[in-house]
Structures are given as C-alpha cells and as structure tokens.
Amino acid sequence: MKKRVYLDYSATTPMKKEVLDEMLPFFNVQFGNPSSIHCFGRENKSAIDKSRGIIAKTLNARTEEIFFTGGGSEADNWAIKGVASALKDKGKHIITTKIEHHAVLHTCEYLEKNGYEVTYLNVDQYGLIDLEELKAAIRPDTILISIMFANNEIGTIQPIKEIGVIAKENNIIFHTDAVQAYGNVVIDVNELGIDLMSLSAHKIYGPKGIGLLYIRKGTKIQPIIHGGAQERRRRAGTENVPAIVGFGKASEIASEGIEDHISKLTYLRDRLINGLTEKIPYVFLNGHPTKRLPGNVNICIQYIEGESLLLSLDMVGIACSSGSACTSGSLDPSHVLMAIGLTHEVAHGSLRLTIGDYTSEDDIDYVIEQLPPIVERLRQMSPLYEKVKGGN
Amino acid sequence: MYSDKVMDHFTNPRNVGEIENADAVGQVGNVKCGDIMKMYLKIDNEVIVDVKFKTFGCGSAIATSSMATEMIKGKTVKEALNLSNRAVAEALDGLPPVKMHCSVLAEQAVKSAIYDYAQKNNLHYEELDGYNPNEEDDHHDHGVEEED
Ligand code: FES
C-alpha cells in the first residue's frame, strides 16, 4: 500500500480507540435523554457530569464552570456575544488581535456592525502581541479582552498569564480561544487568570461537534442559544451525550500523558524544521522558535505557491495545509501571515505541517526526503526563481 | 477537485522553460491572487513555431499555462490571439469555479507576449486594439468565484 503520512493534526485528529469504545454504548444502549426523570435519563445525566468533572480537573476549574457547546466556534461566539450583551450598559469596546481564528474575528466584525467597537492588536514578526499595546488599548468602556492561547496557523503561544494580570487589574473579562492549546500546553485557569475559555474535542483525539466554554464563576455572560434548561439554563439543546462522554475520555488521556506528548512532539517538530531548513534553500520558519505549539511547523518556501505544493505532496501521500491565497477560497492570503508582516508573494509559499500522537520519526524523515525534489521541480517552473539563481 | 486532465498537465506540464532569443516575451500577474506567468514565443512567418512558459502559481495556473501553450503551438499569431480562457478551461475538462481566474492568466500571458511582438516589429493586430498589458483586465469570464 502507498505510504500515507497525515500532518494536519491542527485541522483535526483521529479519535482514539479508547475514546470510541467509551462512546459507543451511548448511541444505542444508554440512549436516554438526560433531562428525563426515568432511569434511562438519569444514567446519562450522571455520565455528562462525570465528563464535566474529568475535564474541570484537567484545567484546575470547578465542575460547574464547564459548559458544553456544539464545538469551539460556538464557544467563541458565545463568549464574545454573551459578554457583549451582558455588559452593553457598561461599555461597547472589545479588544482582540489580528491573528484570531475567524470564529472570533467574524463575531467581532458582526458586533461592529451592531454598534460595538473593536480594537485589533498587532503582532510582531513572531506572532506575539505587545503587552504595552494591550494596556494602551484599554478604555473605561472596554468590556472584554479576547486573545487566543496559541495560534492555529503559526503555533505562537501568547503570554496568557501576563494578559490575565492586565485584565484583572483593569477589571475586564478575559476570554481565550484555547482550541489549539488544550492538550498541548498545561492549562491552569486560576494560575493564568482566565475568565472564559473555548475548547474543542476533535483537536485532542475526541469526537467532532463537541466543545465547551469554561465560565469562571461570577463572570457576566448571557446565553446565545435559548430553548431549554440544559447546561444549567445557559445553553439549550439536548446534550450530545456520546460526544460529551468522548470529550471527557479524550481529556483524561490527554492530560495524563501531556508531558510525554509535549516532549515527543517537540522532538519531531524540531527534527522536521531542521531537516527542511537544512535541505531546502530559501526556506524560513514562521512563528516563534520556542514559544510555539509542540506539534506545529509552519514554513515559507520562497518562489513557489502553496497549492501546487499541497497537490504534489498529496501525490506522495503527505497531507498538510497552506496559507496561500490560492488555497483559501476567498483568494486572500492568510490574515495571520499578513499580520506577521509577510508579503503576499512570500505567503504564497507557506506550508503548515502539524504533528500528532501517531506521527513517527519515519514519517518525519519521509517528508524531509520527499519535499526537496518537489520544491526543486516547482521552482524550475517559477519565473521568480530564475532571477534568484542569477539567470535571466 | 481537479479533473484528470488538469492533474496530468500539472504533473507533466508541456513546454516549461525559456526560449533564448525569443521573438516575444510576455509576463502577467494575476490581479486576483498575485500569481505570475511568463510566456516566450518563437514566431516564424506569423506562425508560432515554439512556445515556453514559467508559472508561479497554483495547480490550475500551471495546468492552464501548459494547455494554452499546446493550443497555440503551430497556430498563427491571429489564431493565438483568439484563444479564450474558456476554451483553455474546456480543453482541461473544466475548472472549479473559484479557479476560473487562473485560466484568464493564461489567456493574458499569450496576449501580452504577442503585444510585445507587435511592439517590437511595428505590427498591428486588430485583436489587440485597446489592449494595454499594464491594465487590470475585467472583461473576461472569471467564472462565479465572487460568491465566496
Ligand atoms: S493562480 Fe492563484 S488560484 Fe490559481
């Protein structure tokens, strides 16, 4: 069989067998509606609470501060719209960054159309925000700071603890989208001063379609989905019990093995970065060299375009992604790559390879072996490369 | 997402390269996504006897350049000027709507090279009337990619 190497773990992860096994009975045997009074319902209610408890523990949060949602994007929407509507009398100013996930950015743009003001913080060449710029952006009417924990494209990890301190000093709610960070960075909501946090199960080897919003006790936030008393009246809708159970199991596995996971991925990541930058000329790393997710590699390969790279890699069984305009549907290059100061042309050659638990050293070496001739072939076709080589 | 023909032309592009002492060279940039295509022509007695290209762009841009070069090779300059991006896309068994603009780039590269030829040799082609290689061109069929 043809070799297949999956290096798109930031897009999604395969579910672990233990997670699937845990979920299966909840589809047909233990199928009751958790809101029902009878035993079919009750046993599911307790399964949900068990998951809630497991997840809370991994975050050093309280069980009653975990609210399940239909995914990370819903959690982001809820955090921002929910605070905006709860605090609209206090103020209508929100601070976020230019490199957020679209679930945050588009929600903020939506609020701007509805009378709110949003400050989008810049980032430096590594993708880090400037804490002084954050402090300067705070106004008396600022009601929310929403800054992602770790970036999905370039992997940069923000100074969350410092942001938490600034938010607290100014009495502003602090939300972080930790969808990429969870399971890859140790998160303690109390130590980091986080008030609201979005998580998703399918990035940590759990099922798709389930996420959560951590809400620190006492945080002012309105529901955005109305219609039932589920999730302590804050998020209506019959609970997705199998997914919640799976989320709990995935969290448990992720938090138990996090030290090994981090060190293994970091090793493979650096092996891949070093291998590629040594073997291919005109390649550089995007994001921060050390303040980055353990499994994230994002490079720019100059003078070629990302979609043609993805197609060529796919032909040899390697699956990854790119921030090139040509891959984006909207034909705009990645807003993250633009924010770290890349030109449109250089962003064209971006390649994101994200490593996970099933990645082997063999896989990494396979990419290091396969990519250079692909790059060379595409460069031979590129009118930009002939100049570099001194031809013309 | 791509037809077998597109994949074939992407994997084995025809006529990649440069022509030394070309009679015409054209380079165009894609206003949509920033890609670049360069085309070289060898013209003998109004017939395109050789053509080569280089492209910095996506799979569809590479495939449409390759197909366009095949379609104009051996044709007269006039015939080449009548090559439409639609025809190139059709010859490739179609392109996804969001990728139609890449085929415009191929059509433009041919035009821009022939424009260069006309300028150098003081020739006039009515197909080039009103054509300005430095102008963004919006009169082409870009497909329905606007829908986002
Ligand atoms: S040339 Fe960029 S999408 Fe085809």
Side-chain angles (χ1 to χ4, degrees):
Chain A
M1 203 182 94
K2 197 175 125 192
K3 192 170 170 69
R4 296 212 307 169
V5 177
Y6 183 76
L7 289 173
D8 209 5
Y9 280 84
S10 276
T12 194
T13 59
M15 219 162 62
K16 289 194 169 154
K17 169 125 193 351
E18 304 92 298
V19 176
L20 178 64
D21 289 345
E22 196 96 353
M23 287 169 70
L24 283 175
F26 290 90
F27 284 103
N28 55 350
V29 184
Q30 237 176 287
F31 63 88
N33 187 326
S35 301
S36 305
I37 282 283
H38 47 64
C39 66
F40 291 85
R42 287 196 311 271
E43 60 189 12
N44 275 355
K45 185 102 201 142
S46 59
I48 293 174
D49 289 336
K50 184 178 157 214
S51 264
R52 208 189 299 279
I54 293 170
I55 297 171
K57 210 168 135 223
T58 68
L59 301 169
N60 193 23
R62 305 188 206 191
T63 304
E64 66 274 16
E65 292 174 321
I66 304 297
F67 296 86
F68 292 109
T69 64
S73 292
E74 184 192 322
D76 283 340
N77 270 263
W78 184 8
I80 298 166
K81 291 178 193 164
V83 169
S85 86
L87 295 184
K88 63 177 182 300
D89 294 331
K90 184 190 170 215
K92 290 193 163 185
H93 178 238
I94 294 168
I95 300 172
T96 184
T97 78
K98 289 188 174 157
I99 62 165
E100 296 300 307
H101 188 272
H102 284 130
V104 168
L105 286 180
H106 290 172
T107 304
C108 286
E109 285 162 22
Y110 164 80
L111 288 175
E112 281 182 293
K113 286 191 194 112
N114 286 280
Y116 289 80
E117 279 182 74
V118 181
T119 301
Y120 299 91
L121 299 176
N122 293 303
V123 293
D124 65 13
Q125 57 168 321
Y126 299 114
L128 287 168
I129 64 150
D130 175 356
L131 294 169
E132 294 308 314
E133 193 188 339
L134 168 62
K135 284 185 201 161
I138 293 172
R139 317 191 313 209
D141 62 339
T142 306
I143 51 172
L144 178 69
I145 296 173
S146 178
I147 294 176
M148 75 196 320
F149 206 120
N151 185 265
N152 49 317
E153 290 187 39
I154 57 174
T156 303
I157 300 172
Q158 299 297 340
I160 293 299
K161 191 170 178 179
E162 288 78 359
I163 298 168
V165 169
I166 294 170
K168 196 165 187 91
E169 278 170 2
N170 291 278
N171 203 13
I172 299 168
I173 296 173
F174 173 33
H175 166 247
T176 186
D177 173 340
V179 165
Q180 295 288 340
Y182 190 46
N184 292 306
V185 181
V186 177
I187 302 178
D188 178 326
V189 288
N190 295 317
E191 198 193 306
L192 297 173
I194 296 166
D195 299 314
L196 299 169
M197 179 167 66
S198 310
L199 302 183
S200 168
H202 78 101
K203 310 285 190 189
I204 60 158
Y205 312 89
K208 295 173 181 60
I210 187 78
L212 68 82
L213 184 64
Y214 157 79
I215 304 179
R216 176 178 298 280
K217 199 163 185 287
T219 307
K220 293 213 164 43
I221 181 167
Q222 294 275 314
I224 58 166
I225 300 196
H226 307 268
Q230 294 87 357
E231 299 298 285
R232 307 200 9 257
R233 301 191 167 278
R234 299 180 100 161
R235 199 279 188 182
T238 298
E239 299 88 338
N240 186 350
V241 183
I244 289 172
V245 169
F247 196 176
K249 188 68 188 174
S251 294
E252 185 180 84
I253 298 171
S255 92
E256 276 169 4
I258 195 157
E259 309 294 339
D260 288 348
H261 169 89
I262 292 173
S263 62
K264 183 197 153 189
L265 265 57
T266 305
Y267 167 74
L268 293 176
R269 175 194 78 190
D270 292 342
R271 186 182 177 89
L272 185 54
I273 294 172
N274 294 334
L276 295 179
T277 47
E278 271 163 29
K279 277 197 141 185
I280 309 173
Y282 310 110
V283 164
F284 59 86
L285 182 71
N286 294 314
H288 197 278
T290 53
K291 291 173 190 163
R292 76 185 297 132
L293 287 172
N296 176 288
V297 176
N298 189 312
I299 53 173
C300 274
I301 305 177
Q302 287 183 266
Y303 315 116
I304 53 178
E305 188 281 322
E307 192 214 80
S308 41
L309 266 172
L310 295 188
L311 289 172
S312 307
L313 285 167
D314 187 46
M315 282 185 232
V316 294
I318 299 168
C320 50
S321 74
S322 166
S324 161
C326 300
T327 59
S328 78
S330 67
L331 297 175
D332 292 321
S334 138
H335 63 287
V336 177
L337 299 180
M338 294 290 102
I340 60 171
L342 298 188
T343 63
H344 198 132
E345 191 179 293
V346 171
H348 247 43
S350 82
L351 197 64
R352 182 188 75 172
L353 305 128
T354 43
I355 297 160
D357 283 354
Y358 300 108
T359 311
S360 67
E361 204 162 321
D362 255 15
D363 294 338
I364 297 298
D365 294 344
Y366 180 68
V367 177
I368 296 172
E369 169 199 319
Q370 294 290 324
L371 190 54
I374 289 173
V375 169
E376 190 49 32
R377 183 182 96 88
L378 292 170
R379 279 183 175 164
Q380 287 309 326
M381 273 190 245
S382 166
L384 295 175
Y385 194 53
E386 57 194 50
K387 291 193 194 120
V388 180
K389 296 215 325 192
N392 216 5
Chain B
M1 102 184 221
Y2 286 135
S3 71
D4 292 347
K5 272 229 177 103
V6 173
M7 286 313 288
D8 174 38
H9 277 263
F10 169 68
T11 347
N12 307 296
R14 335 295 198 244
N15 307 311
V16 178
E18 294 152 51
I19 298 177
E20 259 182 67
N21 307 318
D23 296 304
V25 183
Q27 178 166 324
V28 288
N30 196 322
V31 292
K32 270 276 169 190
C33 60
D35 297 346
I36 298 168
M37 199 179 284
K38 197 166 179 182
M39 202 161 279
Y40 303 78
L41 303 178
K42 193 93 199 150
I43 299 172
D44 189 11
N45 217 349
E46 284 300 294
V47 174
I48 297 169
V49 291
D50 198 10
V51 47
K52 290 264 190 298
F53 80 90
K54 284 207 168 177
T55 291
F56 166 62
C58 73
S60 150
I62 290 171
T64 50
S65 340
S66 163
M67 180 53 94
T69 59
E70 279 216 313
M71 290 172 83
I72 61 167
K73 201 169 180 172
K75 297 278 161 55
T76 66
V77 172
K78 258 183 174 314
E79 284 168 328
L81 280 171
N82 284 314
L83 178 79
S84 75
N85 74 299
R86 264 282 128 165
V88 178
E90 262 161 35
L92 287 165
D93 291 341
L95 289 171
V98 71
K99 293 288 179 181
M100 275 307 284
H101 71 276
C102 319
S103 63
V104 175
L105 195 61
E107 179 195 311
Q108 292 295 86
V110 173
K111 278 224 168 74
S112 140
I114 296 176
Y115 180 84
D116 175 53
Y117 176 69
Q119 293 279 303
K120 277 185 194 152
N121 298 287
N122 251 322
L123 296 168
H124 175 257
Y125 298 102
E126 60 188 36
E127 287 84 352
L128 283 174
D129 283 349
Y131 171 80
N132 179 351
N134 302 314
E135 202 174 69
E136 293 184 357
D137 190 296
D138 275 323
H139 309 302
H140 288 264
D141 185 356
H142 288 216
V144 291
E145 81 264 20
E146 309 293 347
E147 72 190 24
D148 204 7

Short mmCIF file of all heavy atoms in Angstrom, two decimals, chain A residues 106-146:
data_model
loop_
_atom_site.label_atom_id
_atom_site.label_comp_id
_atom_site.label_asym_id
_atom_site.label_seq_id
_atom_site.Cartn_x
_atom_site.Cartn_y
_atom_site.Cartn_z
N HIS A 106 -14.80 37.09 12.98
CA HIS A 106 -16.08 37.38 12.34
C HIS A 106 -17.17 37.72 13.35
O HIS A 106 -18.08 38.49 13.05
CB HIS A 106 -16.51 36.21 11.44
CG HIS A 106 -15.64 36.07 10.22
ND1 HIS A 106 -15.71 35.02 9.35
CD2 HIS A 106 -14.66 36.89 9.74
CE1 HIS A 106 -14.82 35.19 8.38
NE2 HIS A 106 -14.16 36.31 8.60
N THR A 107 -17.07 37.17 14.55
CA THR A 107 -18.02 37.55 15.60
C THR A 107 -17.80 39.02 15.97
O THR A 107 -18.75 39.78 16.15
CB THR A 107 -17.85 36.64 16.82
OG1 THR A 107 -18.01 35.28 16.41
CG2 THR A 107 -18.87 36.95 17.90
N CYS A 108 -16.53 39.40 16.07
CA CYS A 108 -16.24 40.81 16.39
C CYS A 108 -16.73 41.73 15.28
O CYS A 108 -17.29 42.80 15.55
CB CYS A 108 -14.74 41.00 16.61
SG CYS A 108 -14.18 40.32 18.18
N GLU A 109 -16.53 41.32 14.03
CA GLU A 109 -17.00 42.14 12.91
C GLU A 109 -18.53 42.27 12.94
O GLU A 109 -19.07 43.33 12.66
CB GLU A 109 -16.55 41.53 11.57
CG GLU A 109 -15.07 41.77 11.32
CD GLU A 109 -14.47 40.84 10.27
OE1 GLU A 109 -15.24 40.29 9.44
OE2 GLU A 109 -13.24 40.65 10.28
N TYR A 110 -19.17 41.19 13.30
CA TYR A 110 -20.63 41.22 13.43
C TYR A 110 -21.04 42.25 14.49
O TYR A 110 -21.96 43.05 14.29
CB TYR A 110 -21.13 39.82 13.79
CG TYR A 110 -22.54 39.77 14.31
CD1 TYR A 110 -23.64 39.83 13.44
CD2 TYR A 110 -22.79 39.69 15.69
CE1 TYR A 110 -24.92 39.80 13.93
CE2 TYR A 110 -24.08 39.66 16.18
CZ TYR A 110 -25.15 39.72 15.31
OH TYR A 110 -26.42 39.71 15.78
N LEU A 111 -20.34 42.24 15.63
CA LEU A 111 -20.68 43.20 16.69
C LEU A 111 -20.39 44.63 16.26
O LEU A 111 -21.12 45.55 16.63
CB LEU A 111 -19.91 42.85 17.98
CG LEU A 111 -20.40 41.61 18.72
CD1 LEU A 111 -19.50 41.30 19.91
CD2 LEU A 111 -21.85 41.77 19.19
N GLU A 112 -19.32 44.81 15.48
CA GLU A 112 -19.02 46.16 14.99
C GLU A 112 -20.19 46.71 14.17
O GLU A 112 -20.47 47.91 14.22
CB GLU A 112 -17.76 46.14 14.12
CG GLU A 112 -16.47 46.11 14.95
CD GLU A 112 -15.23 46.15 14.05
OE1 GLU A 112 -15.01 45.17 13.33
OE2 GLU A 112 -14.53 47.16 14.10
N LYS A 113 -20.82 45.82 13.42
CA LYS A 113 -21.98 46.26 12.63
C LYS A 113 -23.16 46.60 13.53
O LYS A 113 -24.14 47.18 13.08
CB LYS A 113 -22.40 45.17 11.64
CG LYS A 113 -21.44 45.04 10.48
CD LYS A 113 -22.02 44.16 9.38
CE LYS A 113 -20.96 43.74 8.40
NZ LYS A 113 -20.66 42.29 8.45
N ASN A 114 -23.07 46.17 14.79
CA ASN A 114 -24.19 46.39 15.70
C ASN A 114 -23.82 47.35 16.83
O ASN A 114 -24.30 47.20 17.96
CB ASN A 114 -24.67 45.05 16.25
CG ASN A 114 -25.45 44.28 15.20
OD1 ASN A 114 -26.62 44.53 14.95
ND2 ASN A 114 -24.77 43.36 14.53
N GLY A 115 -22.95 48.28 16.53
CA GLY A 115 -22.69 49.36 17.47
C GLY A 115 -21.55 49.15 18.45
O GLY A 115 -21.32 49.99 19.32
N TYR A 116 -20.84 48.06 18.34
CA TYR A 116 -19.68 47.86 19.22
C TYR A 116 -18.41 48.33 18.53
O TYR A 116 -18.35 48.41 17.31
CB TYR A 116 -19.54 46.37 19.59
CG TYR A 116 -20.62 45.90 20.54
CD1 TYR A 116 -21.90 45.59 20.06
CD2 TYR A 116 -20.38 45.81 21.90
CE1 TYR A 116 -22.90 45.17 20.93
CE2 TYR A 116 -21.37 45.41 22.78
CZ TYR A 116 -22.64 45.08 22.29
OH TYR A 116 -23.61 44.69 23.15
N GLU A 117 -17.39 48.62 19.34
CA GLU A 117 -16.10 49.00 18.77
C GLU A 117 -15.08 47.93 19.14
O GLU A 117 -15.07 47.42 20.26
CB GLU A 117 -15.63 50.33 19.36
CG GLU A 117 -16.26 51.54 18.71
CD GLU A 117 -15.70 52.80 19.34
OE1 GLU A 117 -14.55 53.15 19.05
OE2 GLU A 117 -16.43 53.40 20.15
N VAL A 118 -14.22 47.60 18.19
CA VAL A 118 -13.25 46.54 18.43
C VAL A 118 -11.85 47.05 18.10
O VAL A 118 -11.64 47.66 17.05
CB VAL A 118 -13.55 45.29 17.58
CG1 VAL A 118 -12.54 44.18 17.86
CG2 VAL A 118 -14.98 44.80 17.83
N THR A 119 -10.91 46.80 18.99
CA THR A 119 -9.50 47.08 18.71
C THR A 119 -8.82 45.77 18.37
O THR A 119 -8.92 44.81 19.13
CB THR A 119 -8.81 47.71 19.94
OG1 THR A 119 -9.48 48.91 20.29
CG2 THR A 119 -7.34 48.00 19.67
N TYR A 120 -8.17 45.73 17.22
CA TYR A 120 -7.45 44.53 16.80
C TYR A 120 -5.95 44.76 17.02
O TYR A 120 -5.33 45.54 16.31
CB TYR A 120 -7.72 44.22 15.32
CG TYR A 120 -9.19 43.96 15.02
CD1 TYR A 120 -10.04 45.00 14.65
CD2 TYR A 120 -9.72 42.69 15.15
CE1 TYR A 120 -11.39 44.77 14.40
CE2 TYR A 120 -11.07 42.45 14.90
CZ TYR A 120 -11.90 43.49 14.53
OH TYR A 120 -13.23 43.26 14.28
N LEU A 121 -5.40 44.11 18.03
CA LEU A 121 -3.99 44.33 18.36
C LEU A 121 -3.09 43.76 17.27
O LEU A 121 -3.37 42.71 16.69
CB LEU A 121 -3.64 43.66 19.69
CG LEU A 121 -4.38 44.15 20.94
CD1 LEU A 121 -3.98 43.29 22.14
CD2 LEU A 121 -4.09 45.62 21.19
N ASN A 122 -1.97 44.45 17.05
CA ASN A 122 -0.95 43.95 16.13
C ASN A 122 -0.16 42.83 16.78
O ASN A 122 -0.18 42.68 18.00
CB ASN A 122 0.02 45.08 15.78
CG ASN A 122 -0.66 46.16 14.98
OD1 ASN A 122 -1.21 45.89 13.92
ND2 ASN A 122 -0.66 47.38 15.50
N VAL A 123 0.57 42.12 15.96
CA VAL A 123 1.54 41.15 16.49
C VAL A 123 2.89 41.43 15.85
O VAL A 123 2.96 42.06 14.79
CB VAL A 123 1.12 39.69 16.21
CG1 VAL A 123 -0.14 39.34 16.98
CG2 VAL A 123 0.93 39.43 14.72
N ASP A 124 3.96 40.97 16.50
CA ASP A 124 5.29 41.18 15.92
C ASP A 124 5.59 40.08 14.90
O ASP A 124 4.72 39.28 14.57
CB ASP A 124 6.36 41.27 17.01
CG ASP A 124 6.53 39.96 17.79
OD1 ASP A 124 6.00 38.91 17.35
OD2 ASP A 124 7.19 39.97 18.83
N GLN A 125 6.81 40.05 14.41
CA GLN A 125 7.15 39.08 13.35
C GLN A 125 6.98 37.63 13.80
O GLN A 125 6.86 36.73 12.97
CB GLN A 125 8.59 39.31 12.88
CG GLN A 125 9.58 39.22 14.03
CD GLN A 125 11.03 39.16 13.55
OE1 GLN A 125 11.33 38.51 12.56
NE2 GLN A 125 11.93 39.84 14.25
N TYR A 126 6.99 37.39 15.13
CA TYR A 126 6.82 36.03 15.62
C TYR A 126 5.35 35.69 15.90
O TYR A 126 5.02 34.59 16.28
CB TYR A 126 7.62 35.81 16.91
CG TYR A 126 9.10 36.01 16.72
CD1 TYR A 126 9.76 37.07 17.34
CD2 TYR A 126 9.83 35.15 15.91
CE1 TYR A 126 11.12 37.26 17.17
CE2 TYR A 126 11.19 35.34 15.72
CZ TYR A 126 11.83 36.39 16.36
OH TYR A 126 13.16 36.58 16.17
N GLY A 127 4.51 36.73 15.81
CA GLY A 127 3.10 36.50 16.09
C GLY A 127 2.73 36.80 17.53
O GLY A 127 1.63 36.44 17.98
N LEU A 128 3.63 37.46 18.27
CA LEU A 128 3.34 37.79 19.68
C LEU A 128 2.74 39.18 19.80
O LEU A 128 3.17 40.10 19.11
CB LEU A 128 4.64 37.75 20.50
CG LEU A 128 5.20 36.35 20.78
CD1 LEU A 128 6.62 36.47 21.34
CD2 LEU A 128 4.30 35.60 21.76
N ILE A 129 1.78 39.32 20.71
CA ILE A 129 1.23 40.65 20.93
C ILE A 129 2.19 41.43 21.83
O ILE A 129 3.07 40.86 22.49
CB ILE A 129 -0.16 40.62 21.60
CG1 ILE A 129 -0.09 40.02 23.02
CG2 ILE A 129 -1.16 39.87 20.77
CD1 ILE A 129 -1.13 40.59 23.95
N ASP A 130 2.01 42.74 21.85
CA ASP A 130 2.82 43.62 22.69
C ASP A 130 1.95 44.01 23.89
O ASP A 130 0.89 44.62 23.73
CB ASP A 130 3.20 44.86 21.86
CG ASP A 130 3.95 45.90 22.68
OD1 ASP A 130 4.10 45.72 23.90
OD2 ASP A 130 4.35 46.91 22.07
N LEU A 131 2.41 43.65 25.10
CA LEU A 131 1.59 43.89 26.30
C LEU A 131 1.35 45.38 26.54
O LEU A 131 0.31 45.78 27.06
CB LEU A 131 2.24 43.24 27.52
CG LEU A 131 2.28 41.70 27.49
CD1 LEU A 131 3.18 41.16 28.58
CD2 LEU A 131 0.88 41.11 27.60
N GLU A 132 2.32 46.20 26.13
CA GLU A 132 2.15 47.65 26.29
C GLU A 132 1.03 48.16 25.38
O GLU A 132 0.24 49.02 25.77
CB GLU A 132 3.45 48.40 25.99
CG GLU A 132 4.58 48.10 26.99
CD GLU A 132 4.16 48.30 28.45
OE1 GLU A 132 3.52 49.34 28.74
OE2 GLU A 132 4.45 47.42 29.29
N GLU A 133 0.98 47.59 24.17
CA GLU A 133 -0.08 47.99 23.24
C GLU A 133 -1.45 47.57 23.81
O GLU A 133 -2.43 48.30 23.69
CB GLU A 133 0.16 47.35 21.87
CG GLU A 133 -0.71 47.95 20.77
CD GLU A 133 -0.61 47.20 19.44
OE1 GLU A 133 0.38 46.47 19.21
OE2 GLU A 133 -1.56 47.33 18.64
N LEU A 134 -1.46 46.42 24.45
CA LEU A 134 -2.71 45.97 25.07
C LEU A 134 -3.14 46.95 26.16
O LEU A 134 -4.30 47.40 26.19
CB LEU A 134 -2.53 44.56 25.66
CG LEU A 134 -3.64 44.06 26.59
CD1 LEU A 134 -4.98 43.96 25.86
CD2 LEU A 134 -3.29 42.70 27.19
N LYS A 135 -2.19 47.29 27.04
CA LYS A 135 -2.53 48.22 28.13
C LYS A 135 -3.05 49.55 27.58
O LYS A 135 -4.03 50.11 28.08
CB LYS A 135 -1.28 48.50 28.99
CG LYS A 135 -0.92 47.37 29.92
CD LYS A 135 0.25 47.79 30.81
CE LYS A 135 0.97 46.57 31.36
NZ LYS A 135 2.33 46.91 31.83
N ALA A 136 -2.38 50.02 26.53
CA ALA A 136 -2.77 51.31 25.95
C ALA A 136 -4.14 51.26 25.28
O ALA A 136 -4.81 52.28 25.14
CB ALA A 136 -1.71 51.76 24.94
N ALA A 137 -4.55 50.08 24.88
CA ALA A 137 -5.82 49.96 24.17
C ALA A 137 -7.01 49.95 25.13
O ALA A 137 -8.16 50.15 24.72
CB ALA A 137 -5.83 48.70 23.32
N ILE A 138 -6.74 49.71 26.40
CA ILE A 138 -7.84 49.59 27.37
C ILE A 138 -8.49 50.96 27.62
O ILE A 138 -7.80 51.96 27.81
CB ILE A 138 -7.32 48.98 28.69
CG1 ILE A 138 -6.91 47.53 28.43
CG2 ILE A 138 -8.38 49.07 29.79
CD1 ILE A 138 -6.21 46.85 29.59
N ARG A 139 -9.81 50.97 27.58
CA ARG A 139 -10.57 52.21 27.81
C ARG A 139 -11.57 51.96 28.93
O ARG A 139 -11.82 50.82 29.31
CB ARG A 139 -11.34 52.59 26.54
CG ARG A 139 -10.55 52.45 25.26
CD ARG A 139 -11.21 53.08 24.06
NE ARG A 139 -12.62 52.76 23.87
CZ ARG A 139 -13.21 52.74 22.67
NH1 ARG A 139 -12.49 52.97 21.57
NH2 ARG A 139 -14.50 52.50 22.55
N PRO A 140 -12.17 53.02 29.44
CA PRO A 140 -13.16 52.82 30.51
C PRO A 140 -14.34 51.95 30.06
O PRO A 140 -14.96 51.27 30.88
CB PRO A 140 -13.66 54.25 30.80
CG PRO A 140 -12.62 55.16 30.27
CD PRO A 140 -11.93 54.45 29.15
N ASP A 141 -14.61 51.95 28.75
CA ASP A 141 -15.76 51.17 28.27
C ASP A 141 -15.37 49.81 27.71
O ASP A 141 -16.16 49.16 27.03
CB ASP A 141 -16.55 51.98 27.23
CG ASP A 141 -15.73 52.31 25.99
OD1 ASP A 141 -14.47 52.27 26.07
OD2 ASP A 141 -16.32 52.60 24.94
N THR A 142 -14.13 49.38 27.97
CA THR A 142 -13.71 48.06 27.49
C THR A 142 -14.36 46.98 28.34
O THR A 142 -14.23 47.00 29.57
CB THR A 142 -12.18 47.91 27.55
OG1 THR A 142 -11.58 48.99 26.83
CG2 THR A 142 -11.74 46.59 26.95
N ILE A 143 -15.04 46.06 27.68
CA ILE A 143 -15.75 45.03 28.45
C ILE A 143 -15.14 43.64 28.30
O ILE A 143 -15.41 42.74 29.10
CB ILE A 143 -17.24 44.95 28.03
CG1 ILE A 143 -17.36 44.83 26.50
CG2 ILE A 143 -18.01 46.16 28.55
CD1 ILE A 143 -18.78 44.56 26.02
N LEU A 144 -14.31 43.46 27.28
CA LEU A 144 -13.78 42.12 27.04
C LEU A 144 -12.43 42.17 26.33
O LEU A 144 -12.23 42.98 25.42
CB LEU A 144 -14.77 41.32 26.17
CG LEU A 144 -14.38 39.91 25.76
CD1 LEU A 144 -14.36 38.96 26.95
CD2 LEU A 144 -15.32 39.36 24.68
N ILE A 145 -11.52 41.29 26.80
CA ILE A 145 -10.27 41.06 26.08
C ILE A 145 -10.33 39.62 25.60
O ILE A 145 -10.50 38.71 26.41
CB ILE A 145 -9.04 41.27 27.00
CG1 ILE A 145 -8.96 42.72 27.46
CG2 ILE A 145 -7.75 40.84 26.29
CD1 ILE A 145 -7.87 42.98 28.50
N SER A 146 -10.24 39.42 24.29
CA SER A 146 -10.28 38.06 23.76
C SER A 146 -9.01 37.82 22.95
O SER A 146 -8.82 38.37 21.87
CB SER A 146 -11.51 37.87 22.87
OG SER A 146 -11.51 36.57 22.32
#
